[in-house]
Amino acid sequence: MSIEEKIQYYKESLDIFEDTMDKYKFLLEQGKNSKKFPEEFRQDNFKVKGCQSQVWVVPYIENDLLCFHTDSDAFLTKGMITILADIYGENLPTEILSSDFDLIKQFNLNIILTPGRTNGVYSMLNQIKNYAETFSKK
């Protein structure tokens, strides 16, 4: 699936739920289903700055595609970073850079997330974008 198709998939998945608590549960489930995080990468240089909780995003290249190991110490945040890694991971860095990073408005997360968590999601997106910029130059 393309980045846009994945964005649409998660938007539709969140739109199914009318109740805010059900949307929270969906985000929590995404975190529970995340891939195991390699402990050797739980380092400060991989932490996302600007998040209320601790979030790690570790880039790596596999078959010329930019991929991410992700984790968080907060369940809701872990769900969000898992979704973002699924959307943007396993793509060419140039594809990531040319995609739409304004997910908050598309997912309407600003309605269910606190301003602090919303800012944290923007920080996660910026980190992914920064990694894509770095790897697009290689």
Side-chain angles (χ1 to χ4, degrees):
M1 270 198 283
S2 70
I3 290 172
E4 290 74 23
E5 289 170 331
K6 286 183 180 180
I7 290 170
Q8 189 61 34
Y9 165 77
Y10 283 109
K11 181 184 180 326
E12 289 172 2
S13 296
L14 284 164
D15 286 348
I16 289 172
F17 307 109
E18 292 181 27
D19 184 55
T20 302
M21 286 307 296
D22 290 333
K23 291 180 191 242
Y24 277 127
K25 288 177 188 173
F26 175 79
L27 294 175
L28 292 171
E29 280 301 311
Q30 301 312 301
K32 288 179 186 175
N33 296 329
S34 68
K35 296 176 187 171
K36 184 165 173 40
F37 185 77
E39 287 302 315
E40 66 267 20
F41 295 126
R42 199 172 302 280
Q43 303 170 19
D44 286 346
N45 58 316
F46 292 121
K47 276 189 188 176
V48 177
K49 292 171 182 45
C51 291
Q52 291 178 329
S53 52
Q54 295 185 87
V55 180
W56 293 269
V57 177
V58 181
Y60 64 98
I61 297 291
E62 190 171 280
N63 299 322
D64 296 326
L65 302 177
L66 182 56
C67 305
F68 303 100
H69 294 296
T70 62
D71 199 15
S72 176
D73 65 347
F75 294 117
L76 190 65
T77 306
K78 185 172 185 163
M80 278 307 309
I81 193 59
T82 300
I83 289 171
L84 296 179
D86 182 49
I87 290 171
Y88 293 104
E90 299 181 19
N91 285 287
L92 294 170
T94 53
E95 292 172 331
I96 296 170
L97 290 172
S98 65
S99 67
D100 183 2
F101 277 86
D102 205 5
L103 286 177
I104 299 299
K105 291 180 182 169
Q106 291 184 36
F107 287 178
N108 293 317
L109 291 175
N110 57 330
I111 295 170
I112 60 171
L113 296 180
T114 63
R117 288 208 188 276
T118 301
N119 288 337
V121 173
Y122 279 121
S123 295
M124 293 177 225
L125 285 168
N126 283 332
Q127 187 68 41
I128 289 170
K129 185 177 182 181
N130 289 340
Y131 284 138
E133 287 172 349
T134 299
F135 283 95
S136 70
K137 297 172 186 173
K138 293 185 177 189

